[in-house]
Amino acid sequence: MRPSESRGIDRREFVKSAVAIGGMSALSACLGRSGDENDEDDEDDVSIPAGTDDPTSLPDRQHAWNGALPSDDHGNHVLASHHVLLYADYAGDGTPTADERETVESALQSLERAFEWSSEGLLFTVGYSPRYFDRFDEALPDSVDLPEPAALTSFEDPDLDTNDVVVHLASDSGAALLEAEEALKGNTDTVNGVEMDAHLGGVLDLPEEFPGRRTGFVGDGLPAENNDVSGIPDEADVPEESPLYMGFKSGFDKNQATEDGVTIPEGPFAGGTTQHVSRIRLRLDDWYVEQDQEERVSEMFCPAHAEEGTVEGVGENLGDDSGAGDCVETIEEDARSAGRVGHAQKTARARRDGRPVILRRDFDSTDRGEAGLHFLAVQEGISDFVATKTAMAGEDLTDTPTIRQRVNNGIQEYTFVKRRGNFLLPPRTHRALPTPRPE
Amino acid sequence: MNRRTFLAAAAGTTSAGLAGCFGLLETRTAGQPPVLSDRPDAVYHPTHVEGMKMEAMGRSGDFAAAVMYSYPHRFWTVSGSTVTKQSIQSDDAAHIMVAVWDPETEVVVPDAGVSIAVTKDDEVVSEEVIYPMLSQPMGFHYGANFGLDGTANYTVEVDIGGLSGVETTGSFDGRFTESTSIDLDLSYSEAEKENISYENTPDRAGDQTAVSAMTMMDMPLGIAPSADELPGATVGTASTGDAEFVVQAVEADRFGGGTHVAVSPRTPYNGMLIPRLGLEMTVARDDETVFDEELGAVLDPDFGYHYGGDLDALESGDEIELRVTIPPQVARHEGYETAFLSFEPMTLSVA
């Protein structure tokens, strides 16, 4: 390895750690290192592109990220590398005031002025939970499908996130991410050279640490560089080019819902969407030690992919489609003959008009020193997520003796759901402390 | 400190640190005899017999559970017809076993979907789905090898998903479906582990017999009731793949109007129930097929776990054919890994 490459990896690992730790000291360290003139390979050396003074130039959908993300060679949207989720509570009594709404909107617009709406700059969403809307006399309209979070399989017992608000920040630049977070908390007045007009500190109780503050990363090499956490065995060979801990690419364009497809079409929140976020503990000892690559392909995709050698390495050769949809019809047969069924194969059963109904924007994590996955997905209604998760759980397949709740049943032997939360992402016009019936 | 940090720290310190480190890894497993090269395709006496240490029992919801541990074991997982040996990993400290039963009837509950989270001072040491397993002394249980963080008091959270793919009948109807969680204490020590009995058995290894069931334990074992303990009339007992299949015909309201044919597979020698296999039954009467279906898994308070099919009636002269379509999908301790894998059709005549 050339010294510059080595320095590049150290740098990436450093930035990821800084995001995970958070706070002003991490930010200073991040910025401090960026200032090292000799370190020309630094990703954060390049200046972070500035945003816009014209909020109307931005898409009305908060979840309209695809247009702001780069694409890979196959046309798959590539999610930003670094992520922070901030679970916050409304600090006031009763219902939010007009002034508080203005403060929130002003803070968010400051970020949009400071950072380009892109993964090189900053992408973010603000979501509101059922618990948030409970404080109003009016109920949410029927056009919004937002139940309280719940356990979604018979074998999980997650803690249910009931914070009022969740802010999701994403960027390829760890420094930009930390700066945005500190600015929202009121710990810094300027971000990317732009002065903040307001911050959220007086309106929301913002978290400093897990579980309120959650962090993560996704992208080629990051999991392999961050594999010294519990849940990843020493013997595991997480592929260098894998974007996720489990060693395969995901989020193929054809296996994702479209942004149009997940957008609420009518009512006061038309243009919005719903967001489900679960925290999943990964336990990959058996995944990497007991199983070989063929078995992993079988459980991640489908047995036919394993038999036919469809998946090379992390699955770059699959292009823009995992092909698991073609395995759906043989699922019962695979259960009997191959003795297992695949995760993608099961999930592909949940489709509408031939297309998946959820849009995954999930990322790995080292929160609490554990290998984890923040499974974040947006969909028109939470019932779309529930239908997908039910198909994915495959509890209907346990009539076949080979398939048990969690063994030989996709990847459920290695994934432990610890938390779930449901949120509404209103359209940008109503993103600041909305009432249930904004006008 | 996680294990990796511990090992890294130990590697960088004195020889005393290293000695502790090797002590951690050294167990009786180092002395385990190799797997026999000429195993019969049948139940056989293993190369060695290990005891185990009962740690704690508890109950919650519809379930009671116990946690035990022993030396790490090699075991074999079964997926479809494929048997895969799972060797002991260098960091495995113990084989942790969980038994799950109904506290009312003491009937053992297979297929309950069990995972455990092992914590020490609220820090997660491990969390794994543990395998349904068959061993000669214990019969059906759930187990896996685990790395631990040395001598300590651990909490084992036993997470029970609830029955899947099994019908419940009689007083069991509707039970065992709700998931639950039971916290059990596990006080693990290297020294106490070394006190667990261990015997190499070269004189018996490979013999077509089995280690006796640990019936003296204060815990129900998955022993199938004998034919004369089962309700109804015994049609007969068939044998294939070294498993015994007791076929029973019973008429009872809980099974509907007609005759419930209950097939109860068990191991030879110690009669441990064998769950999670695929079984088809054909009943022929005067050249006519009156039943030809896959039998479903049923958990019944009197029959225990069995495979059942319902037809109007069985008549004298009926010919029953049973075919195992999928071998029992349970992991095997040594001595069971070559049995219950390949089956011939079985026929019985109704007297």
Side-chain angles (χ1 to χ4, degrees), chain A residues 232-281:
Chain A
I232 313 277
D234 292 357
E235 300 90 326
D237 196 9
V238 179
E240 282 295 334
E241 62 278 20
S242 178
L244 291 164
Y245 275 132
M246 294 195 77
F248 295 105
K249 235 180 126 155
S250 74
F252 298 99
D253 189 61
K254 295 286 193 299
N255 310 121
Q256 292 271 51
T258 60
E259 283 180 352
D260 283 347
V262 302
T263 301
I264 296 170
E266 57 187 14
F269 290 104
T273 188
T274 69
Q275 183 186 58
H276 179 86
V277 193
S278 54
R279 185 180 97 84
I280 300 173
R281 179 183 288 161

Side-chain angles (χ1 to χ4, degrees), chain B residues 224-237 246-248 264 266 303:
Chain B
S226 64
D228 51 14
E229 288 172 319
L230 289 171
T234 303
V235 176
T237 299
V246 174
V247 182
Q248 203 77 5
S264 166
R266 69 275 308 276
F303 282 95

Side-chain angles (χ1 to χ4, degrees), chain B:
Chain B
M1 186 187 286
N2 66 24
R3 187 184 56 79
R4 201 172 312 188
T5 324
F6 169 76
L7 290 177
T13 58
T14 63
S15 58
L18 280 173
C21 180
F22 288 125
L24 190 74
L25 303 180
E26 185 188 87
T27 69
R28 302 270 187 152
T29 57
Q32 268 188 8
V35 176
L36 295 174
S37 56
D38 53 348
R39 295 168 290 174
D41 290 330
V43 174
Y44 72 93
H45 197 289
T47 56
H48 59 287
V49 178
E50 296 156 336
M52 50 100 159
K53 192 163 176 293
M54 167 65 79
E55 285 292 308
M57 293 187 198
R59 60 179 286 184
S60 173
D62 287 335
F63 298 95
V67 64
M68 296 143 272
Y69 77 88
S70 183
Y71 305 101
H73 292 317
R74 55 195 175 216
F75 61 90
W76 288 260
T77 51
V78 178
S79 278
S81 301
T82 308
V83 180
T84 310
K85 184 184 173 193
Q86 305 298 346
S87 299
I88 299 163
Q89 304 295 324
S90 57
D91 59 341
D92 286 337
H95 184 75
I96 296 182
M97 292 163 282
V98 170
V100 174
W101 66 91
D102 170 32
E104 314 288 335
T105 61
E106 305 215 320
V107 167
V108 165
V109 185
D111 275 333
V114 177
S115 65
I116 63 173
V118 182
T119 55
K120 180 177 133 182
D121 302 329
D122 291 331
E123 290 286 314
V124 177
V125 175
S126 188
E127 181 164 22
E128 303 286 340
V129 172
I130 56 176
Y131 298 108
M133 283 196 178
L134 274 181
S135 81
Q136 294 180 0
M138 278 194 65
F140 179 84
H141 65 280
Y142 304 85
N145 293 332
F146 281 83
L148 293 172
D149 219 2
T151 295
N153 291 319
Y154 296 90
T155 300
V156 176
E157 178 187 293
V158 177
D159 294 307
I160 301 172
L163 274 187
S164 61
V166 182
E167 188 192 344
T168 46
T169 50
S171 62
F172 284 178
D173 189 21
R175 294 188 61 207
F176 313 120
T177 54
E178 291 287 314
S179 65
T180 193
S181 173
I182 304 174
D183 281 355
L184 298 173
D185 294 330
L186 187 151
S187 136
Y188 170 82
S189 104
E190 303 283 329
E192 280 187 42
K193 183 174 72 179
E194 296 299 319
N195 284 334
I196 295 173
S197 68
Y198 178 95
E199 183 192 3
N200 281 329
T201 52
D203 53 326
R204 284 156 284 167
D207 291 357
Q208 291 196 24
T209 181
V211 180
S212 305
M214 287 185 178
T215 46
M216 70 295 190
M217 297 222 320
D218 185 25
M219 178 187 80
L221 292 178
I223 298 177
S226 64
D228 51 14
E229 288 172 319
L230 289 171
T234 303
V235 176
T237 299
S239 184
T240 179
D242 213 18
E244 291 171 4
F245 295 76
V246 174
V247 182
Q248 203 77 5
V250 66
E251 287 166 23
D253 289 345
R254 66 182 186 277
F255 299 119
T259 295
H260 181 74
V261 179
V263 182
S264 166
R266 69 275 308 276
T267 66
Y269 316 115
N270 45 15
M272 297 294 189
L273 75 90
I274 304 179
R276 211 68 192 173
L277 53 76
L279 190 63
E280 289 173 354
M281 178 173 79
T282 305
V283 179
R285 182 177 302 153
D286 306 330
D287 300 330
E288 197 189 334
T289 301
V290 295
F291 183 95
D292 187 21
E293 283 177 33
E294 179 159 45
L295 301 182
V298 185
L299 188 65
D300 179 80
D302 295 331
F303 282 95
Y305 187 99
H306 69 280
Y307 304 82
D310 297 289
L311 62 169
D312 289 341
L314 271 186
E315 292 178 10
S316 178
D318 286 355
E319 290 285 326
I320 297 177
E321 184 182 82
L322 294 169
R323 297 174 300 276
V324 176
T325 54
I326 298 172
Q329 302 292 297
V330 282
R332 324 291 182 78
H333 284 220
E334 189 173 314
Y336 276 158
E337 79 281 11
T338 51
F340 325 134
L341 290 173
S342 166
F343 299 88
E344 298 299 324
M346 297 164 272
T347 53
L348 299 102
S349 297
V350 179

Side-chain angles (χ1 to χ4, degrees), chain A residues 24-47:
Chain A
M24 280 305 287
S25 54
L27 173 58
S28 315
C30 229
L31 293 172
R33 272 186 68 117
S34 275
D36 182 350
E37 286 173 16
N38 297 322
D39 210 352
E40 291 176 4
D41 290 341
D42 274 0
E43 60 198 77
D44 289 323
D45 257 5
V46 287
S47 65

